[in-house]
Structures are given as structure tokens and as C-alpha cells.
């Protein structure tokens, strides 16, 4: 994927290799010209994300830092980069992949290029994404695990590790735990074939996912239920984005009512700060929040817990987060601070096990015009 | 399941109901006889677990405490118990289930019987298991989530939430994320049909699970790979136990090398302290540890991290844990304390991405006579 094709096109492995060569060439050219080599990289901070009105997502702004070989630390970082480039090239050639952690351990053999902490190897992987505009997955660097799953009337094909293409109906062909979303959901791996669902419901907790499944909500309401497993992994966000773009399905996030859950929605809808360089690829700007809000806590008289210091801190931080700048979020964040309370999505069980599927969700979905 | 049938028999819902009636009857009888009612329950502490030589697992000993209505707290607990019994009876009648968290919220309507914290509802669910010798699953109280998965040549049938029976081959019919183990793996739900696998490999981390899958270890070595997702959920342990008992497959746990991972193996093989009343049902006493040991750290010269204070504390606690009383564990725990280091299973990547499947596991499996 390059920044021009809006995250919907496939990217071939050799494109990724070409981008990596470009980095190596740039370092080589700087050295040949007698310059101290450096890599320039955008600052990855909350203050350096900007709304991209064309794409409707938040991306990095212009503030940048340099990894220069002038200092020992920068020089080591560049040396590591070279080792990593070679490692990735080898993996692509051998059709292998590796976790970031494995790469960290493999660096044991890189002499002075050895990573001194896992953070360093994670950071470098992000750097490479940002500089090349490729994704970690293109470099065959995969996340530790996903574990998210989907249930609903969706047919897809997955090309498995041995190259065999399997057609899977995420309602009929899977057990009650659903179809497990793999860590790579690009088009060479997953093709979305068909679905008669009306919307995608992204659910924070396993307890609520199982509740909706037990209550048959996916069939009754025509929903694709996606279990986010807390803060959603990149492949989960990408998968949801593809459902939104390719199947034209509206996306709704259904989370707990606390500052951390607001962030889950933000990363799904607007992009996460750590992956703002990939926002147009991972975020679903039209996603709507139907999780527990501060207003819901009052309107539905939900059982609550008191906000702790960390919650209050997080809410205050959200007040300066550009992703939460609209009226809805301003109001809800202030209200939550005012009432000093949070609530879990399962708190709806106060009114019985069917309340969420008989009352709460239909009310919210009708409000949004998705259910009649 | 009763304690007599060694955890292999199905249990019908009405057996669970009968056991619950027995509790209610006992309280009623005590009240009728003019006594202050109480429930007697074994102490759930490390010092009160005993090895059951017949079953080969660790179970609760004779030390017991009483929940008596003499004190307000005990009386409240008994009141709650009555409400819970009614709630469970209703669920069984309606073919519903609930998470422990949902039950906690439902107790909002129970007046003085309302739980004041989630811990209380969890504890009560455990009490009921211990007293009735049924499992939480029999009471329709289900865990928050599982998320564990299996890949390998195993055919099973799953009766889904709508009663439809699906036949699934955990190699051919699933994507690369494998078959998701549901929260209920009892015989009314899951039947194990056939497998030509030679052993079950229970793997702690997702990164290592994906490594073995990418390297094709499940087919090359004839393994059923189970991803534990850290400390394994009850259904994962039960599923592994069934593979061991019904398919006669040896079970090996492959974990990181630190005190927490030793506990993962212990709960899989010997039983967990919190669920010692169900050990004969959840534990696989013949399971062998082929995770990273302190000796492996030295023999394979693995990259390590320093033990922190909590690690050292945990290792010292294990020295008084009866489950770690044999020579192997005594030696390995002392050695780890001596070298002051721990290592992750992915540290094997120091020698390349194939080292674990080409060298480490074959060496360990040959030692155990499972591979030739």
C-alpha cells in the first residue's frame, strides 16, 4: 500500500523490497557524498496528528525528528536498520515471517546492531512503515497474536499457510467461537465474497459477544458481530475497514463506558496515535459509537463504578485529543467527569439477559436509522 | 460430573438442578430445626491441597471453613446463595447462560442479596461448585472469554448454539488462526471423532504458536497444537484433558522459562489451586514440561532477562508449593534462582526461525521417546 491508493489496493512483496532498497540506497548515497547519514521520521505524538479531511482520518503532521549517525545512539539505530533490511529481504525470499519479538532475539547475532530492548525493535518496525509507507505485514513482521473473531452471515475465502484457498461462511462453517481473524487480512490472504448483513457491530468484551451470540442477535438483526478483544489489533481494524469499504456495511462500536473504551472507538474510527501513518488504511471514519456513554449511565440508570485517578487523567487527556474534539465527545467526556462514574457494557444485565438485544441495541440502532 | 466418575462422564442439567435443590433443602432443614444455618466449604489455600494418588492430581484437603448466618456477612452470603440458586434454575429452564459478570449485575435487583463486588459473585460460583461437585458450566455460568485455539489433524463435532451439529477438521476446515475452543467443551457440545496425531503440544504464546504453524510443525511432527493464551482457561484445560483421555494422546507443555510459566504447566498437569475441587476433571497428570527450563537457558545459551523481585518471590513461593515437590522442579527452581535469569520461548529465535522446529523440539521429543 502506498499513501496514494487509500489503503484498498494490494501490495506485492517486491514493492516492499523496492521500498527497503530505497532506504538502503539513501543511506549509501549520503555516505558516498561524504555526509553523516540520517533518516528523517515524523514525530509520533498526540500533538503531531492532524485531521486529513480528504480521507476523514487523523494522520501525522509535519513535525519530524532525525535519526542521525552523528551520535552513537543514532549510528547504532542506522546499523540496526541495515541489519533489519537484510533480515526482511531474506524472509521475503524464503516466504517466511517473524514476530517482532523473534526479530529482537535474532538480533543477538548482529554484533553492535543488537537491540538492547524489545521497545527498540518495535520502534524500528514502525519507523520502516512510516518511511516506506508500507505496512509491517508487507515486511513479514507480524504481531504477537490477534484472537479477534467474527460471527455472522459473511462468506470469505482464506488462502492458508500452505496456499490452499478455503471458502468459509462465518455463520454456518464455524463453531460458537466464530471465525478467527488471522494476523494478515490483506487481499492476497482474505477475499470478502458476500454477505447479506446490514451492519457490523464491533464489540469490546467477550462476555457481551457471547451474550449477543447466545441471543441470536447476528441473525435476528442481520449483524456481523466482531469481537474486538479490548483494544483491537491492526488486523481487526483492517478487517472491519474492508467490510465497511468493500461490503458497504456501516460499522458501529459497542464498548464499555469508560475513557479506555472511548479510545477503542477512536482507534477504530479515527485512527490510533501509534499507527497514524496507516490511518487511511486501518480506520473507518464513518464508524459510530453505540457503546455506553455517560448519558446512557444516567438514562438507563446503570450500575456504575467510581472513576479512579487514572480514569480521570485519561478523560482529561482526551479533552486535548484532537480526535475527541466534536460536540458529542466534548459533552460525554465532561459529563463523565461530572458524574464521576463509569459503567461496563454488561451492566445492562441489570434489566435481564435479553435487555441488550431486545431494548438497548434496537433503540440505538433505530436512532441511527439502521433498524426500523 | 460427580467426584466419583473421574470427570469423564456427561452430566445432565437436571443433575445440576438436583444438587442445587439439595443446598436449598439443607438450609431449609437447618432453619426448620431451629438452627442458625451454615454452609461448610473447604479452605482454598495452597496449604490445603493434597495429592490424590488414585487420580494423580492435587485436590483440596480436609481444612474447612463455614459460611454461617450468625454474622451479618455470612447471613448475606446465604441469602445471595438462595438468589443465585433461583437464577440458575431459571436459566436452565430457559436454556440460557450468563457470565459471572452478568450475574453480578443482575443481583442489582436482589435487595440485601446484592453482591457488593465482582469478587463475591466469583467466590460464590466456586463455592457452589465445591459443595455440589458440579461445574460452573453445569450451572450455566460461563467465563468471560476463552480465545484459545487448536490446529492439527483432529476431527470433532460441535453442537452449536442453535443445536446444529457441525463436523470440523481442525486442519482442513479452519483458517490459519485455527479452531477456536468454545467456553463449553463438554460431551453434549463437543465430540472428539478422530485424529492421527501423535501428541498434543500446549503452547503458551501466540508468537510461538504461529511460528510452529508457519513451519508446518503440526503436519511434519504429527502434533495437535493448542494455543494456551497464557494461563489456560478451564475449557482449554478440559479440552486438553479430553484429548489425553479419549484420544490417548500424550500432552506436552511448551512455555516460556519463568516462574509464571511453570505455574501454567502446573495448572495444566497437576491442577490449579483455585480449581482444585475439579482437578480430576481439568488436569492432565501425565503432561510433561518441555518449556524453557533454567537448564535450557544454560545449555542452549539463550538470551535472558534478569529475574525481578516478583519473579524471585514467585519462585520462592513455588518451593513450598506441593505441586513442585519433585526432583526436576526442585532442581530447576533452585537453578533459576541461582542464575537469576529467565527466558522466553521465542528466545530460541537467536539461532534462526527454524531452530525451534528443527532442533529444540525434536531434541526434547526424542528424549521423551515421542519422536524417534
Amino acid at each position: 500500500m502506498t499513501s496514494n491508493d487509500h489503503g484498498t489496493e494490494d501490495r506485492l512483496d517486491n514493492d516492499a523490497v523496492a521500498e527497503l532498497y530505497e532506504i538502503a540506497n539513501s543511506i549509501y548515497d549520503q555516505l558516498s557524498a561524504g555526509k553523516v547519514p540520517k533518516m528523517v521520521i515524523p514525530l509520533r505524538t498526540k500533538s503531531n496528528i492532524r485531521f486529513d479531511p480528504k480521507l476523514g482520518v487523523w494522520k501525522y503532521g509535519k513535525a519530524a525528528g532525525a535519526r542521525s549517525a552523528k551520535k552513537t545512539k543514532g549510528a547504532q539505530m542506522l546499523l540496526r536498520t541495515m541489519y533489519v533490511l537484510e533480515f526482511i529481504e531474506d524472509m521475503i525470499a524464503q516466504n517466511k515471517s517473524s514476530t517482532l519479538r523473534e526479530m529482537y532475539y535474532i538480533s543477538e547475532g548482529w554484533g553492535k546492531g543488537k537491540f538492547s530492548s524489545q521497545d527498540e525493535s518495535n520502534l524500528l518496525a514502525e519507523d520502516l512503515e512510516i518511511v516506506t509507507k508500507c505496512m509491517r505485514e508487507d515486511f513479514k513482521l507480524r504481531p504477537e497474536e490477534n484472537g479477534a473473531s467474527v460471527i455472522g452471515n459473511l462468506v470469505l475465502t482464506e488462502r492458508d499457510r500452505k496456499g490452499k484457498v478455503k471458502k468459509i461462511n462465518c455463520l454456518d462453517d464455524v463453531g460458537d467461537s466464530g471465525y478467527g481473524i488471522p494476523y494478515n487480512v490483506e487481499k492476497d490472504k482474505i477475499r470478502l465474497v458476500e454477505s447479506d448483513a446490514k451492519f457490523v457491530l464491533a464489540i469490546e468484551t467477550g462476555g457481551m459477544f457471547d451474550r449477543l451470540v447466545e441471543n441470536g442477535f447476528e441473525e435476528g438483526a442481520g449483524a456481523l458481530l466482531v469481537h474486538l478483544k479490548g483494544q483491537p489489533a491492526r488486523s481487526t481494524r483492517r478487517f472491519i475497514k474492508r467490510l465497511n469499504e468493500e461490503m458497504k456495511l456501516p460499522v458501529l462500536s459497542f464498548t464499555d463506558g469508560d475513557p479506555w473504551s472511548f479510545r477503542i472507538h477512536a482507534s477504530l474510527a479515527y485512527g490510533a496515535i501509534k499507527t497514524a501513518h496507516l490511518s487511511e488504511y486501518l480506520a473507518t471514519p464513518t464508524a459510530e459509537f453505540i457503546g455506553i456513554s455517560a448519558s446512557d449511565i444516567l438514562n438507563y440508570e446503570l450500575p456504575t463504578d467510581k472513576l479512579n485517578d487514572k480514569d480521570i487523567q485519561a478523560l482529561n487527556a482526551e479533552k486535548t485529543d484532537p480526535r475527541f474534539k466534536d460536540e458529542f465527545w466534548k459533552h460525554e467526556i465532561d459529563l463523565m467527569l461530572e458524574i464521576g462514574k463509569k459503567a461496563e457494557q454488561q451492566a445492562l444485565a441489570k434489566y435481564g439477559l435479553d435487555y441488550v438485544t431486545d431494548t438497548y441495541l434496537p433503540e440505538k440502532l433505530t436512532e441511527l436509522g439502521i433498524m426500523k
Side-chain angles (χ1 to χ4, degrees), chain A:
Chain A
M1 188 215 48
T2 70
S3 62
N4 297 329
D5 56 31
H6 300 187
T8 54
E9 290 307 307
D10 284 352
R11 191 182 176 82
L12 296 170
D13 288 345
N14 43 6
D15 290 341
V17 174
E19 294 286 347
L20 295 179
Y21 271 111
E22 209 162 287
I23 297 178
N25 285 337
S26 141
I27 303 286
Y28 181 84
D29 291 346
Q30 293 178 61
L31 285 169
S32 305
K35 287 185 202 154
V36 179
K38 65 179 178 187
M39 269 170 80
V40 178
I41 295 159
L43 287 183
R44 304 208 273 287
T45 58
K46 196 170 68 180
S47 60
N48 191 35
I49 62 171
R50 303 276 174 274
F51 187 70
D52 180 328
K54 208 176 107 220
L55 301 171
V57 295
W58 292 83
K59 310 218 12 147
Y60 289 127
K62 297 218 168 78
R67 300 263 146 80
S68 159
K70 256 183 203 152
K71 292 189 178 160
T72 322
K73 222 183 136 192
Q76 263 184 324
M77 206 64 196
L78 287 177
L79 178 62
R80 264 172 216 143
T81 308
M82 296 303 113
Y83 272 112
V84 167
L85 296 182
E86 196 185 355
F87 173 60
I88 293 171
E89 198 189 10
D90 284 352
M91 282 199 297
I92 292 175
Q94 292 165 37
N95 201 20
K96 281 279 195 189
S97 63
S98 136
T99 65
L100 291 172
R101 207 176 287 253
E102 284 175 321
M103 181 172 79
Y104 163 70
Y105 285 119
I106 277 177
S107 81
E108 287 276 323
W110 294 352
K112 286 202 193 311
K114 186 186 155 189
F115 292 109
S116 54
S117 78
Q118 170 94 47
D119 284 351
E120 285 182 354
S121 53
N122 294 355
L123 207 66
L124 181 51
E126 283 174 22
D127 284 353
L128 289 182
E129 286 186 318
I130 294 171
V131 173
T132 61
K133 304 206 169 64
C134 289
M135 285 198 312
R136 206 163 64 190
E137 288 76 4
D138 297 321
F139 302 142
K140 307 291 177 184
L141 293 174
R142 54 188 159 76
E144 209 41 36
E145 56 190 69
N146 182 349
S149 52
V150 57
I151 279 197
N153 198 11
L154 165 72
V155 178
L156 55 78
T157 59
E158 176 180 332
R159 181 186 300 274
D160 78 2
R161 60 205 176 278
K162 285 166 277 174
K164 198 175 141 191
V165 175
K166 292 165 177 171
K167 191 169 188 170
I168 297 172
N169 179 310
C170 300
L171 192 59
D172 297 336
D173 300 338
V174 299
D176 282 358
S177 78
Y179 168 72
I181 300 174
Y183 55 77
N184 171 8
V185 296
E186 293 315 300
K187 282 189 182 159
D188 57 337
K189 174 93 185 156
I190 303 274
R191 300 247 165 206
L192 304 173
V193 180
E194 57 176 333
S195 175
D196 66 358
K198 295 191 191 71
F199 61 97
V200 174
L201 192 63
I203 303 154
E204 179 176 354
T205 67
M208 184 51 81
F209 179 80
D210 289 337
R211 162 62 43 227
L212 300 192
V213 170
E214 181 174 297
N215 290 5
F217 190 71
E218 76 286 6
E219 289 198 90
L224 294 184
L225 306 179
V226 179
H227 177 196
L228 297 178
K229 293 232 155 195
Q231 185 68 42
R234 293 158 57 127
S235 58
T236 310
R237 285 181 275 151
R238 175 69 182 143
F239 186 75
I240 289 172
K241 165 85 168 176
R242 287 191 58 194
L243 288 172
N244 173 253
E245 277 197 353
E246 295 170 35
M247 315 299 270
K248 312 287 177 221
L249 294 175
V251 171
L252 307 161
S253 42
F254 181 29
T255 68
D256 286 342
D258 63 46
W260 318 100
S261 302
F262 297 167
R263 288 180 192 186
I264 287 176
H265 171 71
S267 89
L268 199 74
Y270 316 130
I273 292 170
K274 267 181 75 76
T275 54
H277 56 296
L278 297 170
S279 281
E280 76 273 29
Y281 190 74
L282 298 175
T284 306
T286 55
E288 301 256 15
F289 181 77
I290 59 169
I292 307 296
S293 64
S295 304
D296 289 336
I297 290 178
L298 299 177
N299 294 338
Y300 292 92
E301 295 175 19
L302 294 178
T304 54
D305 286 307
K306 237 179 110 208
L307 293 179
N308 61 35
D309 291 347
K310 285 201 166 171
D311 294 331
I312 293 170
Q313 227 170 49
L315 284 168
N316 281 321
E318 281 163 14
K319 289 176 76 165
T320 63
D321 187 323
R323 297 173 300 166
F324 292 106
K325 272 255 155 88
D326 73 12
E327 279 315 306
F328 172 82
W329 284 114
K330 263 194 193 156
H331 174 74
E332 290 299 337
I333 289 167
D334 281 339
L335 186 59
M336 184 163 279
L337 282 166
E338 193 189 312
I339 62 177
K341 283 169 180 166
K342 59 184 176 181
E344 294 180 326
Q345 50 183 177
Q346 291 195 66
L348 293 162
K350 174 186 175 184
Y351 302 109
L353 299 177
D354 296 334
Y355 186 78
V356 62
T357 44
D358 287 356
T359 307
Y360 180 86
L361 286 174
E363 279 179 10
K364 294 264 174 172
L365 291 165
T366 307
E367 232 171 76
L368 292 170
I370 288 170
M371 230 181 211
K372 276 159 224 152

